[in-house]
Amino acid sequence: MAERLTENDVTPKQIYLRRREFMAGGAAMLGAMTVGRQALADPAGWMRGKIDEGFATTIATDEQITPFEDASTYNNYFEFGTGKSDPVRRSGDFQVDPWSVEIAGHCRNPGTYALEDLVQPKDLEERIYRLRCVEAWSMVIPWLGFPLASLIERMDPTSDAKYVRFETLYDPDQYPDQRAWFPAMDYPYVEGLRMDEAMHPLTLMAVGMYGEALPNQNGAPMRLVVPWKYGFKSIKAIVKIEFTSEQPENSWAVMQPREYGFYANVNPNVNHPRWSQATERRLPSSGLQANRIPTRMFNGYEEEVAHLYEGMDLTRHRNI
């Protein structure tokens, strides 16, 4: 079986999702199939298995899916704290309903949209992607979401829209670090993509994972997933999407410009100033079983996305 995930490997599943039920923690899907955490007992069988009526077989990768317990308890989400367990410990009361997203900038359909108006059930797909953190650890996660391109097309950007800027919720009452005397960074958290990156078929707006609604600690109710970039590009709890003519100033590049840049493409040949990016620690792992594997260019999606960066010096453009 091929080692890479390709766009042909992720099959749309025509999942119908009623938001109220979904946000309460249960995904309501057409057909008899409900993909849940129990499927992780046999991840290979789940990935390759026959989906019930109306759904096609999904063969995404031969890599082991990261257990839900690891993916949901080992997170970077500085609004809840800088420790990996802070998000799951501190996010239990985070309110995601109701939720709205402001669409602004160079587009013909700006406005403030309720989340249920942005999530089109017919567009929902299950995508099993590798997630590579800039800290040199990684996971394999089954996401539920829709292509960002479909949302962009609905907003009808003008020719002045060269970039897409994303912004996380600013709410010190809900986010402990936003009200701290010495916060980890300037808030709200901001990220951005070039328009061709945002329109790429692999770029996903995720509203669920492991067949359920996104947990609060993983970016509920809606987050970005860009699988060929380091994880900090996949911004969580999005409340604003803006089409801009200028490159957005993303939070990590503003805070530590010597260490982080705008593109942040996974590149084993360009080290972080403080550590190597040649290998990664695939979770779950432990001191006795570090589970280190080689890092692949563009996180293994080179064939799909390398053309986006033709002619660029991937070192000079600070792809970390």
Side-chain angles (χ1 to χ4, degrees):
M1 180 178 293
E3 294 182 350
R4 295 179 299 100
L5 282 74
T6 70
E7 188 60 15
N8 291 329
D9 290 329
V10 284
T11 305
K13 296 188 178 175
Q14 304 302 311
I15 302 169
Y16 178 77
L17 188 62
R18 295 190 298 274
R19 181 176 182 257
R20 295 284 176 176
E21 295 178 5
F22 188 72
M23 301 309 296
M29 304 178 182
L30 281 179
M33 178 66 178
T34 299
V35 180
R37 300 175 196 174
Q38 68 276 11
L40 298 182
D42 181 17
W46 173 45
M47 286 186 289
R48 301 185 179 98
K50 183 75 166 63
I51 307 302
D52 282 353
E53 182 180 355
F55 300 98
T57 301
T58 298
I59 303 176
T61 178
D62 56 2
E63 295 175 279
Q64 187 86 355
I65 291 176
T66 301
F68 175 84
E69 287 71 21
D70 291 277
S72 61
T73 61
Y74 193 90
N75 310 105
N76 284 328
Y77 198 163
F78 281 15
E79 285 85 347
F80 289 114
T82 57
K84 294 294 187 289
S85 63
D86 286 342
V88 69
R89 291 192 301 107
R90 296 179 172 179
S91 66
D93 294 328
F94 186 67
Q95 297 299 308
V96 299
D97 191 7
W99 193 271
S100 61
V101 179
E102 179 186 356
I103 307 295
H106 300 296
C107 66
R108 296 178 179 87
N109 296 311
T112 299
Y113 293 79
L115 180 63
E116 51 265 40
D117 293 329
L118 294 179
V119 178
Q120 299 294 298
K122 65 181 178 60
D123 291 336
L124 290 179
E125 305 176 9
E126 189 173 77
R127 304 274 188 98
I128 302 173
Y129 282 161
R130 288 180 289 273
L131 173 69
R132 172 59 155 84
C133 181
V134 72
E135 297 172 343
W137 53 265
S138 64
M139 301 182 181
V140 177
I141 297 176
W143 302 100
L144 182 66
F146 59 94
L148 174 59
S150 67
L151 185 152
I152 291 175
E153 289 167 356
R154 290 175 60 200
M155 298 303 115
D156 196 9
T158 70
S159 59
D160 292 324
K162 309 299 182 185
Y163 297 87
V164 186
R165 179 185 181 275
F166 305 87
E167 190 173 302
T168 293
L169 176 70
Y170 181 78
D171 186 349
D173 289 336
Q174 295 208 74
Y175 284 135
D177 199 65
Q178 289 183 350
R179 61 177 181 265
W181 284 104
F182 300 101
M185 62 174 60
D186 290 334
Y187 297 108
Y189 192 90
V190 171
E191 259 305 337
L193 295 173
R194 214 169 56 191
M195 183 62 74
D196 57 349
E197 296 175 317
M199 292 294 294
H200 193 278
L202 290 179
T203 305
L204 192 72
M205 292 297 279
V207 294
M209 56 188 285
Y210 296 85
E212 301 182 2
L214 276 178
N216 291 343
Q217 64 269 24
N218 290 92
M222 184 170 71
R223 63 172 289 168
L224 184 67
V225 179
V226 192
W228 70 92
K229 294 180 178 289
Y230 290 116
F232 68 83
K233 295 293 291 186
S234 294
I235 184 170
K236 303 176 179 73
I238 296 169
V239 294
K240 185 175 182 179
I241 300 173
E242 182 178 5
F243 298 95
T244 69
S245 58
E246 302 294 328
Q247 179 176 300
E249 294 187 339
N250 54 314
S251 291
W252 276 103
V254 170
M255 186 170 66
Q256 296 185 24
R258 193 181 75 86
E259 298 189 358
Y260 303 99
F262 176 77
Y263 286 97
N265 291 323
V266 176
N267 188 342
N269 304 311
V270 177
N271 291 331
H272 187 279
R274 289 181 282 136
W275 57 79
S276 170
Q277 295 288 15
T279 65
E280 62 202 62
R281 179 171 57 91
R282 173 62 56 80
L283 297 180
S285 68
S286 65
L288 297 177
Q289 188 177 4
N291 200 19
R292 297 208 69 88
I293 61 175
T295 290
R296 287 177 272 185
M297 188 66 191
F298 295 111
N299 202 25
Y301 303 95
E302 184 172 9
E303 183 176 326
E304 291 80 11
V305 303
H307 69 278
L308 298 176
Y309 310 102
E310 289 179 357
M312 290 180 61
D313 182 333
L314 299 185
T315 301
R316 185 174 67 85
H317 280 88
R318 301 298 298 161
N319 277 269
I320 58 171

